[in-house]
């Protein structure tokens, strides 16, 4: 069996504006502003506040139902000189219902029109997990939630978007290990990112290491474990209230959220916290002036419950030995 070699982070946390260098060479700011669960009427002003607070990476999706309002906010920001388009890194997503080869360019064009933009810096395929269609994707574009189009055919259509300048980079969202490996072995243009649920209670070491070893950026779309909303909705434990996190936060004079976000950055994971409150936006960015010790990181590692709020991974190990063996136990191909 080969020795265990953990991939190193692909960004410098000592930099005043750290960015992940994607496989394409493009720089992606490691702290993004997320717009999921942002209600109509509040997301536009929130985006303006986020830009004023210094966020330069925005994570968007047509299925969130707020692209048009965000587009108006972006135009306002450009017109008022708050920021220029070149200073921003914009991520968009292709929803489950829109995987048809002919639909992919229509969906991307529709989102760009809503946002009043000419291109995406990054465009992601959302993995078709088994839940019902939300009704937010454009009617008539897709056949079904799981669809009839092989994912590799959808990927070929995404590659065409890069060649036509519709997006600079392409990646995936919520791809588990087996699907990720299948894509990597077939893609002509490699995915630069896998945006997944990853946090202190669901650490996904196998998948994170697999992606990192191939310079596929891992982005955490649920960096706080779902926060208070998950706790209130499903009565589930959340990392924000964990005693170990509270202890570490007190020691550093930081909030539990800041400790959780910082721990992900130290694992080499890009984060996209979400809040419409200006003071929370500022707090979520104020995590570059302290470091967690190796001992503290090990304590956080013990919190892994191997539980997802969205998927149900199967704890089987494979890739025993060879370049993809990231631990003595192997690599979980279902992570």
């Amino acid at each position: 069996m080969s020795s265990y070699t953990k991939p190193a982070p692909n960004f410098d946390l000592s930099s005043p504006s750290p960015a992940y260098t994607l496989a394409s060479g493009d720089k992606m700011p490691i702290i993004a502003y997320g717009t999921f669960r942002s209600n109509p009427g509040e997301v536009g002003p929130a985006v303006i506040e986020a830009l004023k607070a210094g966020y330069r990476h925005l994570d968007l999706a047509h299925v969130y139902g707020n692209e048009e309002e965000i587009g108006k906010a972006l135009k306002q920001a450009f017109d008022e000189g708050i920021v220029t388009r070149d200073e921003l890194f914009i991520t968009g997503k292709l929803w489950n219902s829109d995987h048809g080869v002919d639909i992919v360019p229509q969906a991307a064009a529709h989102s760009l029109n809503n946002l009043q933009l000419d291109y995406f810096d990054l465009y992601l395929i959302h993995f078709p997990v088994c839940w019902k269609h939300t009704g937010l994707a454009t009617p008539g574009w897709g056949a079904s939630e799981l669809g009839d189009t092989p994912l590799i055919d959808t990927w070929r259509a995404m590659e065409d978007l890069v060649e036509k300048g519709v997006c600079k980079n392409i990646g995936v969202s919520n791809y588990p290990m087996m699907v990720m490996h299948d894509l990597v072995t077939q893609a002509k243009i490699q995915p630069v990112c896998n945006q997944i649920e990853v946090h202190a209670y669901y650490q996904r070491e196998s998948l994170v290491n697999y992606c990192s070893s191939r310079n596929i950026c891992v982005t955490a779309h649920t960096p706080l474990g779902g926060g208070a909303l998950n706790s209130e909705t499903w009565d589930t434990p959340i990392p924000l209230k964990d005693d170990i996190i509270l202890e570490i936060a007190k020691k550093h004079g930081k909030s539990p959220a800041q400790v959780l976000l910082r721990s992900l950055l130290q694992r080499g994971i890009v984060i996209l916290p979400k809040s419409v409150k200006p003071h929370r936006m500022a707090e979520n960015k104020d995590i570059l002036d302290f470091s967690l010790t190796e001992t503290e990181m090990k304590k956080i590692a013990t919190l892994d419950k191997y539980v997802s709020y969205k998927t149900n991974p199967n704890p089987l190990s494979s890739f025993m030995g060879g370049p993809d063996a990231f631990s003595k136990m192997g690599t979980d191909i279902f992570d």
Side-chain angles (χ1 to χ4, degrees):
M1 182 181 293
S2 62
S3 61
Y4 168 59
T5 303
K6 185 178 180 63
N10 196 3
F11 48 78
D12 181 8
L13 282 174
S14 66
S15 168
S17 300
Y20 191 108
T21 303
L22 299 173
S24 65
D26 290 338
K27 303 285 188 179
M28 182 172 76
I30 64 172
I31 305 176
Y33 179 69
T35 57
F36 179 49
R37 289 175 175 166
S38 294
N39 298 321
E42 68 177 8
V43 67
V47 166
I48 293 294
E49 289 297 327
L51 295 174
K52 290 180 178 178
Y55 286 88
R56 294 296 180 263
H57 179 182
L58 302 180
D59 184 78
L60 319 174
H62 175 54
V63 75
Y64 298 166
N66 52 23
E67 281 183 338
E68 289 190 36
E69 187 173 339
I70 291 173
K72 293 176 182 177
L74 289 174
K75 184 178 186 304
Q76 176 187 338
F78 299 153
D79 290 346
E80 294 180 1
I82 298 173
V83 69
T84 66
R85 174 64 181 93
D86 291 342
E87 293 174 317
L88 294 181
F89 190 99
I90 305 290
T91 297
K93 300 185 192 73
L94 180 76
W95 186 239
N96 301 343
S97 60
D98 301 334
H99 284 196
V101 172
D102 295 335
I103 305 305
V104 172
Q106 296 178 51
H110 184 80
S111 287
L112 288 172
N113 182 65
N114 285 340
L115 296 166
Q116 303 183 50
L117 299 175
D118 296 323
Y119 66 91
F120 283 112
D121 294 279
L122 174 62
Y123 198 50
L124 307 176
I125 294 179
H126 193 282
F127 184 63
V129 292
C130 297
W131 52 39
K132 294 295 183 181
H133 181 35
T134 64
L136 290 174
T138 302
W141 278 4
S144 68
E145 197 62 2
L146 293 180
D148 302 316
T149 306
L151 287 175
I152 190 59
D153 290 348
T154 304
W155 187 255
R156 295 285 181 250
M158 295 282 283
E159 292 173 330
D160 286 343
L161 295 182
V162 177
E163 294 173 359
K164 293 175 180 177
V166 175
C167 49
K168 292 185 176 182
N169 300 276
I170 49 178
V172 296
S173 178
N174 295 325
Y175 266 44
M177 174 68 77
M178 292 185 71
V179 182
M180 196 75 217
H181 188 64
D182 190 50
L183 175 60
V184 165
T185 57
Q186 298 184 70
K188 297 174 184 176
I189 299 177
Q190 288 292 311
V192 302
C193 175
N194 189 9
Q195 186 181 119
I196 60 174
E197 178 189 1
V198 56
H199 46 78
Y201 280 0
Y202 189 36
Q203 299 188 23
R204 312 187 76 175
E205 275 291 295
S206 290
L207 181 56
V208 170
N209 287 335
Y210 178 91
C211 292
S212 298
S213 69
R214 288 160 172 77
N215 195 21
I216 298 171
C217 174
V218 175
T219 301
H221 63 55
T222 316
L224 303 180
L229 184 58
N230 272 16
S231 178
E232 295 166 1
T233 304
W234 294 297
D235 193 28
T236 54
I238 55 174
L240 284 168
K241 297 181 180 180
D242 192 282
D243 287 342
I244 288 178
I245 299 300
L246 294 174
E247 174 189 343
I248 296 173
K250 182 177 181 180
K251 176 182 175 182
H252 288 277
K254 293 289 185 177
S255 71
Q258 289 173 313
V259 168
L260 291 168
L261 296 173
R262 177 72 194 195
S263 69
L264 289 170
L265 292 183
Q266 289 187 208
R267 291 178 61 197
I269 297 171
V270 171
I271 55 174
L272 51 100
K274 300 174 281 287
S275 179
V276 296
K277 300 175 181 178
H279 73 282
R280 291 292 186 197
M281 296 178 193
E283 178 184 298
N284 291 338
K285 282 188 89 275
D286 185 24
I287 54 176
L288 300 178
D289 61 350
F290 78 107
S291 296
L292 301 174
T293 67
E294 183 177 352
T295 298
E296 289 167 339
M297 288 294 291
K298 287 180 177 179
K299 284 184 178 180
I300 294 173
T302 67
L303 301 180
D304 193 1
K305 299 181 183 299
Y306 202 58
V307 171
S308 165
Y309 296 115
K310 294 177 171 56
T311 59
N312 297 293
N314 189 336
L316 297 177
S317 292
S318 187
F319 291 141
M320 298 292 287
D324 291 312
F326 295 110
S327 73
K328 293 180 180 179
M329 297 300 294
T331 294
D332 179 7
I333 62 175
F334 290 98
D335 198 348

